[in-house]
Amino acid sequence: MPSLNPAVAEIRLAVRTALADLPEGSTVIVALSGGADSLALAAATAFEASKRGIPATSVTVDHGLQVDSAEVAARAASIATGLGLEAIVVRVDVDGEGGPEAAAREARYRVLRDAATERGASAVLLGHTLDDQAETVLLGLARGSGAASLQGMAPAREDEDGLRWLRPLLGVRRETTRAFCTASDLDPWDDPHNLDDRFARVRVRERVLPVLEAELGPGIAEALARTAEQLREDAEAFDEMIHETIEDIVEHAEAGISVSVAALAANPAALRNRIIRLVVDSEFGVSLTRAQTVEVARLVTDWAGQGPIDLPGCSAVRRGGQIVFTASGR
């Protein structure tokens, strides 16, 4: 009996491991663009899910951003059907703030979430690889976005409604997905946007990472991915501490929420700033920048009678022994 191709074995194992944590009777959605990463994921899922009796559906989102997008989407769905997956294509209009990349991503995740809801799926499988993770960490570093951004993408996360978002290939190199497709006689689509250096991610992929590898030696992508994993572990520990702390120091106030000045002052800066960000995000659905967070923290550490601080969606003011956050317009 011929031995299994190493790339096929690696990716099937990654998918098998991800599916093993799903409850019995689960259904899964596979995000499929037709590129090598998502095609390898779809093929491995078709193989592994069928062995476990898990119904799987591929969802291809036609963003309409290229002249042949409908043909590309139809071809991806046809390949998925040949693999034994149910396949659907959804056309979306990409429009919104943050540029075409952000709008397309938002539309894509909305379609995947809707498809999961319609089919009662337990999980959505995404084809991000270790290379994608390394690029995400570098982009976060360049933007000065802090530890939250440097954590990169989580291998698994769960929505409030219980839907799981899984990235089985986050420890797999991009070259391995191409080798999988070659070994499986699958012809992936190469998105021309992946070579368009107008996009920061493409510049990181095509220019920055190769220079780092050449100047610092091989293994840069793996090192960046390890950094993300370590930061994610630290963040999870921090979050647990913060939630325990918040229960004791946060009170509901009229049209908002208040936090004890003394309690904030007793915590180190890193924990204090995280508490401020979490309180504002939880109460008002707003993510504060570092500059905004530090300005609020000055109400605790550098109090000189300053007035309210205007923030996105809310304001913060010190009243007696409390920092009071109030919704804008109140």
Side-chain angles (χ1 to χ4, degrees):
M1 184 175 179
S3 59
L4 192 61
N5 178 276
V8 174
E10 180 179 350
I11 291 179
R12 283 184 179 176
L13 175 60
V15 171
R16 188 184 317 139
T17 301
L19 295 179
D21 290 335
L22 296 181
E24 191 172 345
S26 292
T27 296
V28 298
I29 299 293
V30 184
L32 175 63
S33 68
D37 302 340
S38 66
L39 204 53
L41 175 65
T45 301
F47 182 84
E48 295 294 339
S50 65
K51 293 203 302 182
R52 288 198 56 195
I54 297 175
T57 299
S58 76
V59 175
T60 301
V61 181
D62 175 8
H63 300 95
L65 296 176
Q66 300 174 37
V67 292
D68 61 346
S69 64
E71 290 79 4
V72 169
R75 180 175 177 274
S78 177
I79 294 174
T81 301
L83 292 169
L85 299 171
E86 179 189 4
I88 62 174
V89 174
V90 179
R91 174 67 183 260
V92 297
D93 293 321
V94 175
D95 185 24
E97 299 180 359
E101 280 185 290
R105 183 170 57 251
E106 177 61 31
R108 185 163 58 250
Y109 277 87
R110 184 173 62 251
V111 167
L112 292 168
R113 190 178 293 107
D114 290 346
T117 300
E118 290 172 4
R119 282 161 175 72
S122 302
V124 176
L125 276 58
L126 305 169
H128 298 111
T129 65
L130 185 147
D131 297 81
D132 294 312
Q133 183 76 300
E135 293 159 13
T136 298
V137 173
L138 270 181
L139 286 168
L141 183 63
R143 292 170 183 148
S145 304
S149 180
L150 298 184
Q151 295 170 41
M153 297 172 283
R157 68 177 178 85
E158 189 170 315
D159 277 351
E160 292 181 358
D161 59 5
L163 177 64
R164 301 186 192 185
W165 298 81
L166 306 178
R167 295 182 173 90
L169 308 186
L170 212 52
V172 175
R173 295 301 305 262
R174 189 175 287 138
E175 62 190 23
T176 304
T177 66
R178 285 212 164 266
F180 180 107
C181 290
T182 299
S184 305
D185 293 324
L186 297 172
D187 184 18
W189 168 65
D190 291 317
D191 185 349
H193 283 171
N194 288 336
L195 296 175
D196 189 339
D197 63 8
R198 292 178 300 168
F199 301 113
R201 184 174 289 273
V202 173
R203 295 194 296 274
V204 167
R205 178 182 306 145
E206 298 296 322
R207 301 177 190 174
V208 179
L209 272 171
V211 168
L212 290 175
E213 293 271 355
E215 296 296 330
L216 302 178
I220 295 297
E222 288 87 352
L224 289 167
R226 286 197 303 274
T227 297
E229 185 176 4
Q230 291 165 8
L231 284 170
R232 201 159 43 247
E233 290 174 353
D234 291 347
E236 288 172 358
F238 258 127
D239 287 345
E240 190 172 326
M241 293 169 61
I242 289 168
H243 282 96
E244 291 176 356
T245 302
I246 281 179
E247 291 181 3
D248 298 326
I249 69 173
V250 171
E251 299 177 5
H252 284 284
E254 185 177 353
I257 198 166
S258 67
V259 188
S260 164
V261 169
L264 284 173
N267 282 292
L271 199 54
R272 179 166 55 245
N273 291 341
R274 282 176 177 263
I275 291 171
I276 291 169
R277 286 195 296 269
L278 182 59
V279 165
V280 172
D281 185 33
S282 300
E283 185 71 14
F284 306 103
V286 172
S287 296
L288 297 184
T289 65
R290 174 165 177 79
Q292 291 164 342
T293 304
V294 169
E295 192 64 19
V296 174
R298 288 184 64 244
L299 296 176
V300 176
T301 61
D302 192 18
W303 171 242
Q306 58 265 46
I309 298 171
D310 290 328
L311 302 167
C314 66
S315 65
V317 66
R318 177 162 170 166
R319 292 180 188 154
Q322 299 287 315
I323 303 299
V324 180
F325 297 91
T326 307
S328 297
R330 298 296 183 91

